[in-house]
Structures are given as C-alpha cells and as structure tokens.
C-alpha cells in the first residue's frame, strides 16, 4: 500500500542544517537500502555523548574544548528509548552492526542499560545484532563487567602509545597508561569475543610506539589497529605531512614481525587485516587518507542529539529527533531515512585533495560530536 508522506513529518526534518528532502511515497522497508552510489546501509554508529574526559589533540584539542565549550544538555540528548526505536527502524533497512561511540561513551550515565536494550535486537535474518563500543578505556575497569552482563560482545579500546609519557601526551589530561592497561586486562579476562586496540599514528609524535605496541600485545589475542591520522573536524590543525601512510607502517612492522595479508571479515570492513607469520596474532591498518574506501562505505551515524550524518566528514545532519518527538509513526520515520540514504553521495576521502586545496568548499562537524 502506498501513502503520501505527511508534509508536516518532512518539515520536521528541515532543521537549519538539513538539506531539503524530496517528498515521496511510503513503502515498507525491504531490508536493503542502496545510496546513489550503490552502497547499502549496513552499519550504524551512535554517538551517545559529546563529552570526553580526554583531550586528544587530534580530536578535542584542549584550547578549544574548554569547560566553557557549549556542550549539549541532558534534554537535548536522545533517550535510550529513542535510540532503541531508531535502531529497530535502521535494522529493518538492513543494519547488522551498531557501534556506540562519542565523545567518551562510558561517560553516558546508564550506558549498560542502553546496551541491554540494544543487544536483544535481531537482524532481519534473525541473527543477534552485533553491538559494539569504542572507548578510551579510562572507565572501563569499573564498567566492563556490567557491559558484558548487558550483552556487549566486542569492544574497541583506543590507546595511542605503550609508554606512559607518550600516552599522557596523547590524552593531554595526564591520564596514566596503567589504568587503561588494567582495563584491557579486565576486558580480556571477561572473554569478550574480541578486544581490539585503535592507535592513531601521528608522525613525529607517537610513531615510535608502533613496534613496542606490537611487542606488547603479541600473543595476547588483542588485535592492534593503526589508524592514519585524519583531518576530522575543524580544530586539529591537520597536515598531510603528519600522516604516516599505512603502507609504510606495514613495511616498518614487517622488518621485525613478518606479516601476511588476510581476508576481510565482511565486505566493507575498514581495516586491512594482516597476521604475523610466527603465529603471534593479527594486526590491522585503517588507511582512511592514503587508500580511501568511500566506495564501500556502508556506515550511517547518529549524533547524540539525533541527527543523521551520512559521512564522518559530513557538513550537515538530518534532524531525526524532531521526527521522533513528533506524531510521526515508525513507517514515516523509516521512509524519511530511506529517502535520505538513497540520495547519499558522500565520499569525502576521495575528494580530500580538492577540498584541502579549496577547489571544493566543504565545512565539517567535529568528530567528538558525530562519533568516530
Ligand atoms: N572516546 C572514544 C575513543 O577514543 O575510543 C570514542 C570516540 S573517538 C572519536 C573514536 C575513535 O576515533 C578513536 O579510536 C580515536 O582514536 C579516533 N579518532 C579521533 N580523532 C581522530 C583523527 N583525527 N584521526 C584518526 N582517528 C581519530
Ligand atoms: Fe575523547 Fe576519544 Fe576524542 Fe580522545 S579520541 S578526545 S578519547 S572522544
Ligand atoms: Fe565513508 Fe565518508 Fe569515510 Fe568516505 S570519508 S569512508 S564516505 S565516512
């Protein structure tokens, strides 16, 4: 049955920052939603807070993110019920994986409860939805058991060095390395299906940590992934010459730990996987700058205040909170999301050079807002 979308529901999407939506007809979701470049919706990243207790200079430099910074109030955040409702709607469009992020997601009060609400959800083929979380690890020691009990199966912990001095410089709030290492230990003992470490590599700042990180986590089952430093947001003063291309990272590792490439876990996986030939374990590289993967990008992002972003570097978000808090029913919201995704043409990383040179004008939102 086809119905015309009520104009009032579409109007709710037209926040100041949202591009216009072309009215269409209502359809039941089919479980497959392709964008204008044929990329299907598969992953949903939900940012649950814009706050963080770290000030990693590449993400939330402390000169900008001061205590006077205009953070959102509690009422502006999506509630757990709203997040769960949206997640169901996204799953009906084919989402199989939900990642909670931020800001620092463990700062969101009751995060375990949200995990408990999301983890029973099932994909359309009746598989459990893959709920995961990215954290800076600072509060994980206390929270890991509760998250595991709530149904969290996998976890990613960010760690930008394995020497205390480097780590403190990278978090820029003088947070001690040993606390995060203890968190990683706790997570391992709890038998999460996977514990991964993300390390952002910035040339001349923490690249001396690459080999010690491998040495530390070798034979532990923990997968370390090296991320190229990116030009997210507008405040980190990114320069291309501070990026170490993943290819060079792999070459550097190979000199000490011979590697062989392995297949991705699933189509559209962002990390290129490698395993150590001596059986020491797996590592990964995420080459967002030097080997772009926009053509396989299947990720949608929802900010803590309910805006839908189609790219990590998006300029604009679509105000789903206004729809959630209107009279709109699930089908109307579902159709709005479908229209937005179908029109998606985002591919920032492929256009980075032209954008950096000013050939294409492209303002961006901050990563701590949109979620990494
Ligand atoms: N606070 C949590 C954390 O740090 O894991 C979750 C949010 S954080 C924005 C998500 C991921 O984005 C982290 O692994 C972080 O290292 C990464 N990230 C942030 N800024 C980045 C940048 N400029 N380039 C590359 N990765 C970045
Ligand atoms: Fe906080 Fe994560 Fe950004 Fe670091 S990367 S400032 S821990 S949100
Ligand atoms: Fe996806 Fe945007 Fe990153 Fe390209 S730049 S991979 S479209 S999030």
């Amino acid at each position: 049955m086809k119905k015309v979308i009520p104009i009032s529901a579409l109007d709710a999407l037209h926040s100041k920052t949202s591009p216009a939506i072309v009215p269409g007809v209502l359809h039941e979701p089919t479980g497959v939603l392709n964008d204008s470049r044929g990329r299907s919706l598969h992953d949903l990243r939900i940012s649950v807070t814009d706050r963080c207790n770290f000030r990693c200079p590449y993400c939330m430099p402390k000169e900008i993110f001061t205590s006077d910074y205009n953070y959102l109030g509690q009422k502006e955040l999506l509630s757990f019920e709203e997040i769960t409702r949206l997640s169901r709607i996204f799953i009906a469009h084919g989402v199989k994986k939900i990642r909670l992020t931020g800001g620092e997601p463990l700062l969101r009060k009751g995060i375990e409860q949200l995990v408990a609400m999301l983890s029973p959800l099932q994909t359309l083929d009746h598989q459990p939805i893959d709920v995961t979380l990215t954290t800076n690890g600072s509060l994980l020691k206390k929270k890991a058991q509760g998250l595991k009990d709530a149904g969290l199966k996998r976890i990613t912990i960010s760690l930008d060095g394995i020497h205390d001095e480097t780590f403190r410089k990278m978090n820029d709030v003088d947070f001690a390395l040993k606390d995060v290492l203890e968190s990683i230990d706790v997570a391992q003992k709890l038998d999460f299906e996977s514990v991964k470490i993300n390390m952002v590599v910035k040339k001349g700042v923490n690249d001396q940590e690459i080999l010690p990180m491998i040495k530390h986590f070798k034979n532990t089952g923990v997968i370390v992934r090296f991320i190229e430093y990116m030009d997210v947001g507008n405040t980190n003063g990114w320069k291309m010459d501070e990026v170490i291309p993943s290819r060079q990272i792999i070459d550097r590792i190979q000199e000490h730990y011979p590697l062989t490439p392995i297949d991705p876990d699933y189509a559209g996986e962002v990390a290129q996987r490698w395993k150590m030939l001596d059986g020491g374990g797996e590592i990964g590289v995420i080459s967002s700058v030097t080997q772009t993967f926009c053509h396989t990008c299947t990720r949608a992002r929802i900010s803590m205040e309910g805006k839908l972003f189609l790219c990590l570097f998006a300029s604009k978000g679509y105000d789903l909170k206004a729809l959630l808090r209107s009279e709109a029913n699930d089908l109307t919201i579902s159709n709005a999301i479908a229209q937005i995704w179908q029109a998606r043409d985002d591919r920032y990383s492929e256009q980075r050079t032209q954008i950096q040179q000013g050939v294409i004008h492209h303002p961006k939102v901050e990563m701590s807002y949109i979620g990494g």
Side-chain angles (χ1 to χ4, degrees):
M1 191 183 53
K2 292 180 174 180
K3 290 186 234 157
V4 175
I5 291 186
I7 294 300
S8 58
L10 287 170
D11 280 348
L13 282 166
H14 293 191
S15 72
K16 261 188 256 151
T17 54
S18 299
I21 309 291
V22 182
V25 286
L26 282 183
H27 296 273
E28 292 292 338
T30 61
V32 181
L33 197 56
N34 287 327
D35 72 6
S36 70
R37 299 186 162 262
R39 300 168 296 187
S40 57
L41 178 56
H42 183 276
D43 308 68
L44 183 62
R45 298 199 172 183
I46 305 174
S47 178
V48 293
T49 176
D50 56 347
R51 290 164 200 256
C52 187
N53 53 345
F54 283 12
R55 286 292 175 273
C56 310
Y58 56 70
C59 176
M60 293 180 77
K62 68 178 175 197
E63 306 72 41
I64 311 279
F65 293 87
T66 61
S67 50
D68 297 334
Y69 189 81
N70 200 9
Y71 296 104
L72 296 169
Q74 185 67 29
K75 281 210 189 95
E76 295 166 272
L77 304 182
L78 285 190
S79 68
F80 292 166
E81 287 72 22
E82 288 169 331
I83 291 175
T84 309
R85 181 179 175 203
L86 268 186
S87 299
R88 284 184 199 282
I89 295 173
F90 273 92
I91 289 169
H93 282 306
V95 160
K96 295 193 164 48
K97 196 167 156 189
I98 296 179
R99 179 175 296 276
L100 301 177
T101 177
E104 174 45 42
L106 301 191
L107 286 178
R108 178 79 187 257
K109 210 167 150 216
I111 184 77
E112 303 84 345
Q113 196 193 329
L114 176 61
V115 172
M117 290 162 79
L118 295 177
S119 53
L121 301 182
Q122 293 201 334
T123 63
L124 293 177
D125 43 4
H126 307 292
Q127 298 303 310
I129 196 85
D130 183 4
V131 182
T132 174
L133 182 144
T134 305
T135 171
N136 63 25
S138 59
L139 303 170
L140 186 63
K141 200 167 41 162
K142 275 196 296 197
K143 298 241 171 200
Q145 181 72 60
L147 290 165
K148 181 87 194 329
D149 294 346
L152 193 73
K153 295 202 181 61
R154 303 189 300 113
I155 194 152
T156 302
I157 302 163
S158 302
L159 181 69
D160 295 331
I162 199 69
H163 291 100
D164 192 55
E165 195 189 339
T166 317
F167 183 63
R168 286 179 197 257
K169 187 157 85 182
M170 295 306 285
N171 64 56
D172 215 11
V173 292
D174 218 22
F175 197 86
L177 172 72
K178 96 172 174 5
D179 292 328
V180 177
L181 291 183
E182 282 169 19
S183 288
I184 295 170
D185 257 14
V186 171
Q188 278 188 280
K189 291 202 176 96
L190 285 174
D191 266 343
F192 281 101
E193 273 171 27
S194 82
V195 177
K196 291 183 183 156
I197 305 283
N198 277 354
M199 171 174 160
V200 175
V201 181
K202 217 174 153 182
K203 194 193 257 171
V205 180
N206 69 336
D207 59 310
Q208 74 287 0
E209 300 283 328
I210 296 171
L211 294 174
M213 283 283 275
I214 304 261
K215 188 171 171 208
H216 183 91
F217 289 107
K218 194 168 183 257
N219 297 315
T220 63
V222 171
I223 300 169
V224 182
R225 303 182 318 169
F226 301 96
I227 307 181
E228 289 179 351
Y229 168 45
M230 290 186 284
D231 50 334
V232 292
N234 307 290
T235 56
N236 67 6
W238 182 88
K239 293 193 214 73
M240 184 64 202
D241 57 15
E242 290 173 324
V243 178
I244 305 197
S246 292
R247 190 58 247 177
Q248 287 178 23
I249 295 179
I250 292 296
D251 289 347
R252 235 193 245 191
I253 299 171
Q254 291 260 38
E255 283 177 24
H256 301 263
Y257 305 100
L259 301 169
T260 186
I262 47 180
D263 287 339
D265 259 341
Y266 56 91
E269 187 174 30
V270 295
Q272 292 161 1
R273 302 170 64 206
W274 297 76
K275 75 173 181 200
M276 292 182 224
L277 284 174
D278 66 0
E282 180 180 332
I283 64 144
V285 285
I286 302 181
S287 323
S288 335
V289 179
T290 63
Q291 295 171 53
T292 57
F293 39 78
C294 298
H295 58 290
T296 57
C297 180
T298 53
R299 291 174 290 285
R301 294 178 155 85
I302 300 177
S303 71
M304 63 294 296
E305 59 169 340
K307 287 199 177 145
L308 169 60
F309 289 88
L310 303 178
C311 172
L312 182 54
F313 300 89
S315 314
K316 294 165 182 171
Y318 298 82
D319 189 0
L320 297 182
K321 182 173 71 181
L323 266 189
L324 286 167
R325 295 185 184 176
S326 73
E327 297 295 305
N329 62 18
D330 285 3
L331 191 58
T332 305
I333 299 175
S334 163
N335 275 258
I337 291 167
Q339 286 180 29
I340 296 167
W341 186 265
Q342 282 167 347
R344 176 181 188 245
D345 188 34
D346 299 61
R347 55 203 159 95
Y348 177 90
S349 288
E350 288 178 1
Q351 299 172 318
R352 176 174 280 109
T353 310
Q354 288 158 291
I355 292 167
Q356 290 284 334
Q357 291 169 348
V359 179
I360 301 177
H361 174 65
H362 188 101
K364 294 174 275 178
V365 293
E366 291 305 320
M367 191 177 194
S368 53
Y369 173 82
I370 202 172

